Amino acid sequence: MTPQNLMHLPLSTPKLSIGCPILDHCLGGGIPCNSITELVGESGSEKTQLCLQLTVRAQLSPSHGRLGGSSVYIFTEFSFPFRRLQQLGNLYHASYPNLIRLEPLEDIYVHGVHDAQQLIHVLGDIEAFIAIDHTRLPVKLIVIDSIVALFRSQYQTTPADLKRRSEMFFNISGTLKGLANKFGLAVVVTNQVGWAT
């Protein structure tokens, strides 16, 4: 999907406001549901920070330009920044005391994966988790931070590995698109400049 295509999505497609009016305008209102949005930037360009903010913002009600839902955050590199997420949760709770729970992290489900095959398995578990609907808020956002980390060390640049990598990537993206459509989710994946997925 190109930025121009985002502008042509039906107006009824729910969107998750980023919180920056300029970026929201460029995206036609925010991160759209029923699709996959890729955030691309150099290492250290704050893609993770934006994703953490989205997981908290997703909890705000639709009347406030958000999704009124919980989030699944899949991290693939390093350790998950729980401390930073707690700081953001506290900040949002102070800013929106009637809209964000005292413990906003209770509506963010975090899972680490270390290779592409494990992600495929986890996505199946996530589908079952969402379908059971036993969360306080319905899951409305899936974040994968970062998609490229799953491919960087697992595959070489031989023709056979490139073919396997492409097949795995299309399998993952097809599964994510299916989840987005089936459950009306916003899906956000991060990628680094210079790594084509």
Side-chain angles (χ1 to χ4, degrees):
M1 178 163 287
T2 66
Q4 292 80 14
N5 291 347
L6 287 173
M7 301 302 286
H8 301 293
L9 285 175
L11 294 176
S12 62
T13 299
K15 295 184 180 178
L16 173 57
S17 168
I18 290 177
C20 171
I22 295 169
L23 290 176
D24 282 339
H25 177 74
C26 290
L27 293 170
I31 305 287
C33 291
N34 305 314
S35 68
I36 302 170
T37 300
E38 181 180 28
L39 301 178
V40 180
E42 293 182 9
S43 179
S45 63
E46 303 301 322
K47 299 177 299 291
T48 296
Q49 172 71 19
L50 178 57
C51 289
L52 294 173
Q53 287 177 242
L54 290 173
T55 62
V56 179
R57 292 183 68 77
Q59 296 175 40
L60 295 170
S61 70
S63 64
H64 288 84
R66 306 340 180 264
L67 301 176
S70 60
S71 303
V72 174
Y73 197 112
I74 299 170
F75 67 98
T76 63
E77 295 184 287
F78 313 113
S79 59
F80 184 78
F82 282 106
R83 187 167 155 211
R84 182 62 187 139
L85 183 58
Q86 182 67 54
Q87 292 170 339
L88 286 169
N90 292 339
L91 176 68
Y92 274 84
H93 176 70
S95 299
Y96 303 97
N98 297 327
L99 302 175
I100 295 280
R101 292 176 62 166
L102 184 57
E103 293 295 331
L105 300 190
E106 291 179 8
D107 292 312
I108 301 170
Y109 304 93
V110 177
H111 196 291
V113 298
H114 304 291
D115 62 53
Q117 194 61 48
Q118 185 183 13
L119 177 60
I120 290 292
H121 178 74
V122 167
L123 291 176
D125 292 345
I126 289 171
E127 181 172 12
F129 177 74
I130 295 170
I132 291 171
D133 194 31
H134 61 75
T135 59
R136 185 185 76 84
L137 295 173
V139 174
K140 289 294 181 182
L141 172 66
I142 294 176
V143 173
I144 300 177
D145 185 18
S146 114
I147 194 77
V148 71
L150 300 174
F151 297 94
R152 190 180 303 138
S153 62
Q154 190 174 356
Y155 298 95
Q156 303 302 315
T157 57
T158 65
D161 266 2
L162 290 174
K163 181 178 185 251
R164 283 193 297 276
R165 181 180 106 163
S166 294
E167 289 169 350
M168 182 60 73
F169 179 75
F170 284 117
N171 188 0
I172 290 169
S173 60
T175 301
L176 287 170
K177 182 63 176 162
L179 288 171
N181 287 332
K182 183 174 182 178
F183 297 106
L185 306 175
V187 176
V188 175
V189 299
T190 66
N191 196 353
Q192 289 183 8
V193 171
W195 285 93
T197 48

